[in-house]
Amino acid sequence: MLRKTKSSVSSIPLNCVDKCLLTLDSVNEPMLIHVVMNLEGEIGHLKLNQAILSAQKAHPVMRTILRSRNFRLFREIQEDLGKGVLSVPDQAQLRDTDHESYVSSWMNQPLNIKKEFPVRALLLRKNERECLLVFTFHHSAADGLRALLFVRKVIETYNNEPARNCESEGNIRVNRKGDELLEFAHSQRSKVKHYYRKMISSLFHRFVIAALPSPTRIFHDKSGKSKELRFCFKIISPKEFEQIQSKARSAGVELNQIFLAACYRAVEKWNGMHGKASNRIRIMAPVNISPKGFRCVVSNQAAWFSLPTTPRDRADAAELLRKVRADTIDETLNRIAFSLVYFFYFCSRFPLCVMKGMCRFLIITRTYVDTILFTNIGFIWPKLGSEEPAVSSIGNAKILNVTGSAPVVTPMGLSIAAGTYNRNLNLSLTYRPALFSEEKARMFLDLYVDEIENYEVGV
């Protein structure tokens, strides 16, 4: 059997966002994202394992091990996939175990991408009718949208469905030179007047002018140091969700803008309930910046906005919504999210040890870390022109629900992720139990949902 020589081993470079997320993870800020699916019906674990292996072959980054050579990090593609990344716990061992605790513990297991692939999966039967399928991804290898792309490939393979037309092959990044995100950022110059001046101005404002006072922190009732994460979920029914959509249409705003405005008010109300004043609240909101030709490639293709508001901005709900709408439109038209790509690329040129020092500085000073992260992955696998899901089953098992969770860095303490599947709006709160009790975390999520459902748009 032929073996590849060391020089012919296929590799995938890290882009600037990959490197920064990897560095955060290396300073004990776990960068894991999860996709959780509730299933009704039987699913064959052997066939599922083969489908995951097939998806890994289609998306090479999901079968790589992190390597270092000449102070340069890269992902080495592995031809031997072993037994696979799927775990199926023995039902006899789970008989006296709380399923929720087991899943939470499994999701908190570290993912060492120097020794294992940046993806793993868990299939757990809850009862005779329902089971859970959980995928965990290392965020340095995939963002939320691309994680869903991988999961969809698994499902389509399991269902023996023909491959969807895609604008690029999954191996477009193999042995590639250059950073695709930096190149895409450069391509925006012709679309924005005074582009580079706006990039520099945005960074100067972000890291100098807007640095002080530091963003408001969300009140928490504990002060531990553990990095463990826990999760709580909330589902807004199709009827209630339609009312929110109708409200957005009547006000001429996007759903995401209502979600963001409600998040500002939820943080302010929460702090007020606990006797804490809220000054500048700054929300980190990821933005999809997919370069053309990379939209079907599993990787990180996201930057983010960091939009601040003051107490005066938040005094009136309708005015706050108008401000959020105006700010998001302005940032989108001027491609402001790309300014962070330039910043990440600048940071990524330093050795890993220097990048670690920079990350520790950001976490310790807390000044540049936003109040909270809110991400909305939108409609999950929708049919063309419909809010119905294009993917609704795995074999004979019906997909009841799909939710995701985002990472949490220490100064924030919690994050919120939203996604819409089968007309249900799914919200997940990821939190540090070292900072928030389960009761407080659920109370905060309930408060946020109440803000969304009862937001006064002021038409």
Side-chain angles (χ1 to χ4, degrees):
M1 184 173 64
L2 293 175
R3 286 189 176 183
K4 289 185 177 182
T5 62
K6 189 172 183 179
S7 60
S8 67
V9 170
S10 296
S11 64
I12 298 178
L14 283 77
N15 65 35
C16 55
V17 174
D18 294 342
K19 291 178 182 177
C20 290
L21 291 169
L22 178 64
T23 308
L24 265 175
D25 187 84
S26 69
V27 296
N28 202 21
E29 295 291 335
M31 288 290 110
L32 299 179
I33 57 178
H34 310 279
V35 177
V36 182
M37 292 187 288
N38 288 80
L39 309 176
E40 182 181 62
E42 291 293 330
I43 182 168
H45 67 272
L46 294 178
K47 187 176 181 180
L48 177 61
N49 191 53
Q50 287 301 315
I52 296 172
L53 293 173
S54 179
Q56 287 181 275
K57 291 177 181 177
H59 295 286
V61 71
M62 290 292 107
R63 54 183 172 97
T64 59
I65 301 295
L66 190 68
R67 304 295 191 200
S68 176
R69 185 183 301 140
N70 299 326
F71 302 102
R72 182 179 68 89
L73 291 171
F74 64 95
R75 296 189 178 94
E76 184 181 272
I77 298 175
Q78 307 298 302
E79 298 302 329
D80 182 5
L81 300 184
K83 296 180 180 180
V85 298
L86 177 65
S87 299
V88 184
D90 189 297
Q91 289 301 304
Q93 296 176 345
L94 290 174
R95 191 168 297 148
D96 299 320
T97 304
D98 177 58
H99 287 161
E100 188 174 322
S101 298
Y102 182 91
V103 173
S104 180
S105 176
W106 184 89
M107 292 167 73
N108 271 291
Q109 291 176 16
L111 193 54
N112 185 354
I113 57 176
K114 293 181 179 179
K115 296 181 179 179
E116 54 188 320
F117 298 142
V119 59
R120 63 171 177 243
L122 170 71
L123 178 63
L124 183 145
R125 179 151 294 283
K126 296 168 63 177
N127 52 51
E128 292 182 358
R129 295 180 62 245
E130 294 186 17
C131 59
L132 278 178
L133 178 56
V134 185
F135 287 87
T136 295
F137 298 86
H138 201 282
H139 201 355
S140 70
D143 59 39
L145 289 175
R146 263 49 69 165
L148 285 170
L149 176 68
F150 180 84
V151 175
R152 180 166 184 173
K153 178 64 177 177
V154 172
I155 297 170
E156 289 174 340
T157 303
Y158 188 98
N159 293 343
N160 297 315
E161 296 176 7
R164 293 175 298 132
N165 291 329
C166 206
E167 57 194 56
S168 64
E169 294 296 325
N171 63 356
I172 192 173
R173 299 185 75 209
V174 175
N175 294 327
R176 189 179 189 276
K177 303 295 182 182
D179 188 310
E180 69 273 11
L181 294 184
L182 181 70
E183 292 173 6
F184 190 48
H186 285 328
S187 73
Q188 304 304 301
R189 181 181 179 182
S190 62
K191 302 174 183 178
V192 180
K193 191 175 182 179
H194 306 306
Y195 176 69
Y196 288 123
R197 184 191 302 173
K198 288 178 179 178
M199 296 299 102
I200 294 171
S201 175
S202 172
L203 290 174
F204 182 77
H205 186 272
R206 175 76 170 81
F207 292 102
V208 179
I209 296 176
L212 295 174
S214 297
T216 292
R217 298 298 159 202
I218 300 173
F219 171 84
H220 49 84
D221 57 336
K222 301 167 74 176
S223 299
K225 302 294 183 182
S226 171
K227 302 298 181 180
E228 178 190 358
L229 297 177
R230 288 185 188 165
F231 317 89
C232 53
F233 306 93
K234 196 87 173 179
I235 298 175
I236 295 180
S237 70
K239 181 179 179 180
E240 295 168 318
F241 185 41
E242 172 55 34
Q243 292 174 351
I244 299 169
Q245 289 177 297
S246 177
K247 191 184 301 183
R249 287 191 294 267
S250 67
V253 300
E254 296 179 1
L255 275 172
N256 224 34
Q257 291 159 0
I258 287 183
F259 295 160
L260 286 171
C263 195
Y264 289 112
R265 288 176 63 83
V267 171
E268 184 168 54
K269 285 187 177 181
W270 176 262
N271 284 348
M273 288 164 52
H274 296 89
K276 180 178 178 179
S278 298
N279 189 5
R280 178 182 295 164
I281 296 174
R282 199 167 64 205
I283 295 178
M284 175 181 172
V287 179
N288 181 20
I289 58 170
S290 288
K292 186 177 180 180
F294 284 81
R295 287 164 193 164
C296 292
V297 177
V298 175
S299 65
N300 280 293
Q301 301 168 42
W304 59 78
F305 296 153
S306 292
L307 302 175
T309 62
T310 63
R312 183 176 179 180
D313 297 325
R314 302 186 297 269
D316 180 82
E319 285 298 323
L320 173 62
L321 184 58
R322 281 190 280 271
K323 173 179 170 54
V324 169
R325 179 180 182 275
D327 287 351
T328 53
I329 290 174
D330 179 69
E331 298 245 334
T332 301
L333 290 176
N334 289 297
R335 308 296 199 274
I336 298 303
F338 286 100
S339 65
L340 284 177
V341 172
Y342 289 103
F343 174 71
F344 295 150
Y345 184 77
F346 169 76
C347 294
S348 70
R349 305 308 294 168
F350 289 101
L352 186 61
C353 59
V354 176
M355 291 183 67
K356 285 183 179 180
M358 296 166 71
C359 277
R360 288 193 181 98
F361 172 79
L362 292 174
I363 296 297
I364 292 171
T365 61
R366 302 158 59 95
T367 301
Y368 302 105
V369 180
D370 296 333
T371 303
I372 186 174
L373 180 149
F374 171 81
T375 182
N376 179 21
I377 55 180
F379 289 86
I380 299 172
W381 311 319
K383 286 181 181 177
L384 189 62
S386 170
E387 294 179 7
E388 299 293 335
V391 179
S392 59
S393 65
I394 305 179
N396 295 324
K398 182 179 179 181
I399 303 174
L400 300 177
N401 220 346
V402 182
T403 54
S405 74
V408 177
V409 295
T410 301
M412 292 182 185
L414 53 78
S415 66
I416 299 174
T420 305
Y421 180 80
N422 200 22
R423 299 180 182 271
N424 289 295
L425 175 61
N426 305 297
L427 294 162
S428 69
L429 180 78
T430 307
Y431 66 98
R432 293 272 175 87
L435 300 177
F436 295 87
S437 63
E438 180 179 359
E439 179 188 14
K440 290 291 186 182
R442 292 190 180 279
M443 285 175 61
F444 183 89
L445 183 56
D446 288 342
L447 176 65
Y448 177 59
V449 170
D450 184 67
E451 280 296 313
I452 292 175
E453 293 179 335
N454 298 293
Y455 201 92
E456 298 176 4
V457 298
V459 179

